[in-house]
Amino acid sequence: MAIERTFSIIKPDATARNLTGAVNAVIEKAGLRIVAQKRIRMTKEQAETFYAVHKARPFFGELVEFMTSGPVVVQVLEGENAVAKYRDAMGATDPSKAADGTIRKLYAKSIGENSAHGSDAPETAAIEIAQFFSGNEIVG
Ligand code: RTP
Ligand code: MG
């Protein structure tokens, strides 16, 4: 199995409750390495670009407002099968459906304010990583 990278966001509901380290503990326990990380305040433009795929969805405005409502921590995670591994570690989008021990089961407040983002495929991971990091900021 090849080493893969995925893109992660610790969302504003989690940073507001000082849970960056707690989320990182789940990430590292899952066998993923944090190879880049920075705390930023997303602009409206960045959030709209990032979630452009959801533009037509009824929750889009609310989603952009939430993602720009406070600091986020953007990350690149590396490991075997990193995309799927991180989706497993995050749990289902709706925290009431997330498995025990997952980030969303442990920490998410609701389906919208659900503490973490993880890329859904290696191709989207590459696009998302490039939106927030330059190559020399990632140290594998
Ligand atoms: P993400 O992209 O953030 O990793 O989450 P995901 O793949 O599990 O879920 P996705 O369907 O891509 O939805 C993106 C984010 O939009 C918000 N959402 N709100 N109010 C709602 O019904 C609703 N549905 C989705 C969540 O923040 C979700 O993570
Ligand atoms: Mg998604």
Side-chain angles (χ1 to χ4, degrees), residues 11 51 54 59 62-63 87 93 104 111-112 114 116-118:
K11 295 185 181 183
Y51 278 123
H54 294 311
F59 58 79
E62 192 176 294
L63 177 59
R87 298 284 293 187
T93 310
R104 285 165 168 169
I111 189 167
N114 60 4
H117 161 82

Side-chain angles (χ1 to χ4, degrees), residues 55-137:
K55 205 162 43 194
R57 306 283 283 278
F59 58 79
F60 182 70
E62 192 176 294
L63 177 59
V64 169
E65 196 169 315
F66 167 58
M67 293 300 290
T68 56
S69 68
V72 299
V73 176
V74 292
Q75 305 174 308
V76 181
L77 311 181
E78 190 174 81
E80 276 186 16
N81 211 13
V83 169
K85 197 173 270 184
Y86 189 44
R87 298 284 293 187
D88 283 350
M90 285 196 302
T93 310
D94 179 350
S96 72
K97 295 180 181 142
D100 284 348
T102 60
I103 292 165
R104 285 165 168 169
K105 176 70 169 200
L106 287 165
Y107 304 121
K109 293 171 77 175
S110 66
I111 189 167
E113 302 198 9
N114 60 4
S115 302
H117 161 82
S119 309
D120 56 16
E123 296 72 28
T124 40
I127 293 165
E128 292 174 357
I129 289 168
Q131 190 186 340
F132 292 97
F133 290 99
S134 55
N136 65 2
E137 292 178 306

